[in-house]
Amino acid sequence: ISSSRIRLIPARFVFVSSVFDVSSILILIGDCQMRKMIFGTLITFIVVAGALQIERSIRTNRGVPVSSGGGQVMPAELSLKSFPKEERVQLKSFSGKVVLVNFWASWCDACMAEMPSMVKLYDALHDEGFEMISINVDDDPEKVVPTIVSKFHIKFPIYRDTDESVSKAFEIVAIPFNALIDKKSKVIFSESGERNWFSDEIIAEVRKHLKEQ
């Protein structure tokens, strides 16, 4: 799992703070060539930040993939440890349920951005048979997970992939990583990156599979 902690900064914050700071510097700099160089750097920075913000918005609100599971099956023979009790939980115990597998960390901005929508999805559909396998990958979960659970009012259980067997099975290279699993333990689709998990499209997709025998 990638532990790169690159954080995205809101474009409006980049714009306001950069313009304020750099404009103050430009006033003090008399060298015309230096002014041009700083101004050019500022413009490039604003354009890149804006592009990242647009890309993130598109990615968050994208539609449901037609299918990207590739026939993959959730490895029933593997297990996770519950947090904080560290009780061994077999993945086969989720057979017969529609499950969203989510790998996340507290330092991952995208993970935190999509967490509220996951909480809403779980709260809305849990009584219909929907489950979450929420797998935290923080180095020191005892220090951060309780705070996250309290902040987002998380009701679903949290797990740890201590031997990394599940992450290897899903071939995870970045987080957040999510996989929607049907009642037969087949992967409906899997993807890296945040999305709105409480959109009408996702709710309809989950309910469609909940109705399957």
Side-chain angles (χ1 to χ4, degrees), residues 1 4 23 38 50 141:
I1 299 174
S4 177
S23 61
I38 294 176

Side-chain angles (χ1 to χ4, degrees), residues 177-204:
F177 174 86
N178 299 291
L180 187 62
I181 314 295
D182 69 13
K183 291 183 177 181
K184 297 180 180 179
S185 297
K186 292 184 179 179
V187 178
I188 301 168
F189 71 85
S190 61
E191 61 185 14
S192 294
E194 70 189 273
R195 74 156 58 238
N196 175 15
W197 289 97
F198 200 58
S199 67
D200 292 339
E201 293 82 1
I202 289 292
I203 294 172

Side-chain angles (χ1 to χ4, degrees), residues 67-78:
S67 177
S68 61
Q72 185 179 9
V73 177
M74 185 168 69
E77 72 279 4
L78 301 182

Side-chain angles (χ1 to χ4, degrees), residues 83-125:
F83 178 86
K85 295 183 178 180
E86 295 194 349
E87 297 174 344
R88 186 65 66 177
V89 178
Q90 299 289 327
L91 293 186
K92 64 182 179 182
S93 64
F94 294 95
S95 179
K97 299 178 180 179
V98 177
V99 180
L100 178 60
V101 179
N102 168 234
F103 284 81
W104 64 277
S106 63
W107 48 261
C108 168
D109 286 349
C111 300
M112 296 297 95
E114 70 175 3
M115 188 63 76
S117 65
M118 287 185 167
V119 170
K120 290 180 181 178
L121 182 67
Y122 178 82
D123 291 348
L125 301 182

Side-chain angles (χ1 to χ4, degrees), residues 14 36-52:
V14 171
K36 289 182 179 180
M37 183 181 70
I38 294 176
F39 185 73
T41 301
L42 171 60
I43 294 300
T44 301
F45 191 56
I46 292 174
V47 170
V48 171
L52 286 172

